[in-house]
Amino acid sequence: MQELRPFDPHSNGLRLNTLIRLRWLAVVGQSAAVVFVAYWLGFPLPVSFCFALIACSAWLNLFLAFRFPAAHRLGPLAALSILTFDALQLVGLLFVTGGLTNPFSPLMAVPVIISATSLPLRMTAAIGGLVVVAATALVFYHMPLPWAEGSQLVMPFVYVAGMWVAVVSMIIFTAVYAYRVAQEGRLLANALAATELVLQREQHLSALDGLAAAAAHELGTPLATIALVAKEMERALGSDPRFQEDVTLLRSQSERCREILKRLTSLSSEAEEHLAHMPLTSLIEEVIAPHRDFGVDIKLEPGERIGPEPVGRRNPGVMYGLGNLVENAVDFAQNAVTVNWRWNADTVALTVIDDGQGFPPDIIDRIGEPYMSTRRGGEPGGGLGLGLFIAKTLLERSGATMSFHNSFVQGQGAIVEVSWPRAVFQGHVEAGVKEADSQGNFDSRAQAHI
């Protein structure tokens, strides 16, 4: 299994082409606004200064487009520098067009929002602080708002102060919101990647028997030729003392190789159908066996059992998921973990109960989310919550439903319940047996969920 690298939510970087396109959109919008105010409305406006600032953005876009490939991803510091330039360029335009009395002043929040979705928190805080300082300066220092020639529109200070509060509130709220949404997306993507690595490893292990059968099939023909040639050599050389021992050894070893290949073929065909079928009680025993002898007593308590015992197909993902639940219970239990199972005509269910302190109330509704750990700070073995996320994902892929809650019974703590519809649990086995009966063999490569 590939080793998971430490989680880095910003490892991919911000795509340069994204910033270039957004800046071209800003250049077009700013140019249209200047032309409309200066030449359509006829308001006095420092057009040359405005277009000089707009030209700076266009020049930076051209430089970056020719200097770097379109797929180039910026490092955090480079992205912060470019976003800072965008923020200061907009501040310059607002300075010559009325400051915070300009109706376009809320656009100052845009660079901060982009930073919140793609840069570390400290860099977002830095550019956010810069924009807030600039907005504060624009309250007191700015040129008059463009208005009809011969008159000047003077806005009350209360209105300007209200605009400052609105701009600052927008920056803080939208930045925090965008950062949280983007962070959750990054955490989920990283956790799903970890899940895929676990599945890939289990699938590789399950495919080894198929590879053994393929190797036996491919090597059978050349090995038969070697055995035939060795037999002919032994017959032709007769009792020649110079070659008799070597020829006999060659023939015996070829026979040995044929026996080994025969066993491999048998292992991957005849025995697999029997090994692939697993009754529920056998599944439970195989899941809990690695977690015995750790100082915690694992109690098995069968519940309601109506009808024949359900038999599912061996699924590495389900075994990993259930094993992770038992491991967590053993980690948090004080003395004992209870595993209860039951089945009827409609449902197959499994419950894992520990006698620990239970799930913390503040995170019980979020258990199973990636990087949501139930371990308390400073506790040895504290993790990121990836194990529970992977277990929940794998079990739900098999058709199971899960629930997490605390018990109010003395001596019980956390309770995890996993249940399948009985038809889902054993339906794939029945389908596989029918296929085996119709075809005369069992396809070992058909992987089905429990």
Side-chain angles (χ1 to χ4, degrees), residues 31 44 76 90 141 215 250 271 366 388 415 427:
S31 301
L90 182 58
Y141 305 101
L250 178 61
R366 294 180 291 164
L388 271 180
I415 301 177

Side-chain angles (χ1 to χ4, degrees), residues 207-275:
L208 287 178
D209 57 350
L211 294 176
H217 176 75
E218 295 295 330
L219 292 175
T221 300
L223 190 58
T225 303
I226 295 174
L228 178 62
V229 172
K231 184 177 181 180
E232 294 296 330
M233 290 176 62
E234 185 178 25
R235 181 182 304 171
L237 293 173
S239 59
D240 190 333
R242 294 177 300 171
F243 306 105
Q244 181 179 11
E245 184 178 352
D246 293 336
V247 173
T248 303
L249 178 62
L250 178 61
R251 184 179 177 184
S252 65
Q253 292 302 308
S254 66
E255 292 294 336
R256 181 184 176 190
C257 290
R258 294 180 66 180
E259 290 296 327
I260 293 174
L261 292 182
K262 184 178 179 180
R263 288 200 301 268
L264 287 176
T265 305
S266 175
L267 174 63
S268 119
S269 57
E270 298 175 0
E272 184 191 358
E273 181 179 357
H274 173 72
L275 294 175

